[in-house]
Amino acid sequence: MKQRLFVAAGLDDETRAACGRVAEKLRAKGWFARYVPPDNYHLTVAFLGGVDEQRVDEIVAALREIAPRIPPVDVPLERVGAFPSERRPRVAWIGPNAPLPAYGTLCGAVRSALTVLGFTFDRNADPHVTLARADATTRGALPQVTPPPIDPMRIDALTLYRSFTDRSGARYEALDRFALRP
């Protein structure tokens, strides 16, 4: 049986609440979309997709081996943006103002360890927390929203998550956690 898996950095409660306030500002400005529940906020490091259940142990072993070699990374959450653009938003997010090479290095190390197991990844390594996804009723540009002051998020551990989709939306279950280099 296949499981939908991804590796990500979870948010602490304070950061999660601050991101939730940004989503509320978007909603208050009339940007109608499917908002991500705050419990699902995370920074994706590697999306694995559908994975056979018997492969989970080898993924865990690879992550257990690589994580202690990766230094912690601080990710500023200082800009609200959209993919593909603010004029034609499909996904609203919060993340850094500029590319973050240290985050790219973290993603590269994790993805390299998993590539050995046969996984492939896109090149995108832009850190962002997805706040909402446009749907058929979403119209217009993303409203301008200034995030509240949020301390940079310290990534000092990664989590392997399993994703489930049901009528209420996506829900994530943590399978294992991997501390980065102290």
Side-chain angles (χ1 to χ4, degrees), residues 9-10 43 45 71-75 103 106 127 153-158 180:
L43 289 156
V45 171
V73 175
D74 290 327
V75 178
Y103 186 79
L106 177 148
M153 185 184 139
R154 166 128 303 197
I155 299 175
D156 57 8
L158 300 173
L180 300 184

Side-chain angles (χ1 to χ4, degrees), residues 1-3 5 51-59:
M1 182 172 155
K2 291 205 184 254
Q3 304 176 47
L5 303 179
V51 177
D52 289 323
E53 193 171 327
Q54 64 266 23
R55 298 200 64 201
V56 171
D57 288 342
E58 69 181 331
I59 294 166

Side-chain angles (χ1 to χ4, degrees), residues 64-87:
R64 215 174 278 300
E65 183 179 327
I66 194 65
R69 298 186 207 165
I70 302 170
V73 175
D74 290 327
V75 178
L77 300 175
E78 57 200 357
R79 176 175 172 243
V80 177
F83 296 128
S85 72
E86 283 83 10
R87 287 184 333 177

Side-chain angles (χ1 to χ4, degrees), residues 21-164:
R21 287 191 298 276
V22 172
E24 286 305 316
K25 285 181 179 182
L26 285 171
R27 192 178 308 211
K29 287 196 171 198
W31 198 67
F32 298 104
R34 288 177 288 124
Y35 283 84
V36 174
D39 286 345
N40 285 359
Y41 292 161
H42 63 274
L43 289 156
T44 301
V45 171
F47 179 73
L48 303 174
V51 177
D52 289 323
E53 193 171 327
Q54 64 266 23
R55 298 200 64 201
V56 171
D57 288 342
E58 69 181 331
I59 294 166
V60 167
L63 293 170
R64 215 174 278 300
E65 183 179 327
I66 194 65
R69 298 186 207 165
I70 302 170
V73 175
D74 290 327
V75 178
L77 300 175
E78 57 200 357
R79 176 175 172 243
V80 177
F83 296 128
S85 72
E86 283 83 10
R87 287 184 333 177
R88 295 176 42 157
R90 299 300 308 150
V91 173
W93 52 262
I94 185 169
N97 277 326
L100 197 61
Y103 186 79
T105 300
L106 177 148
C107 291
V110 170
R111 293 172 183 186
S112 290
L114 297 171
T115 298
V116 172
L117 301 178
F119 293 98
T120 58
F121 303 96
D122 62 18
R123 292 184 177 201
N124 183 1
D126 295 328
H128 66 277
V129 176
T130 298
L131 302 174
R133 291 179 176 82
D135 61 20
T137 64
T138 308
R139 300 279 185 265
L142 188 72
Q144 289 192 343
V145 170
T146 303
I150 304 171
D151 288 335
M153 185 184 139
R154 166 128 303 197
I155 299 175
D156 57 8
L158 300 173
T159 302
L160 176 63
Y161 288 98
R162 179 181 314 157
S163 173
F164 300 93

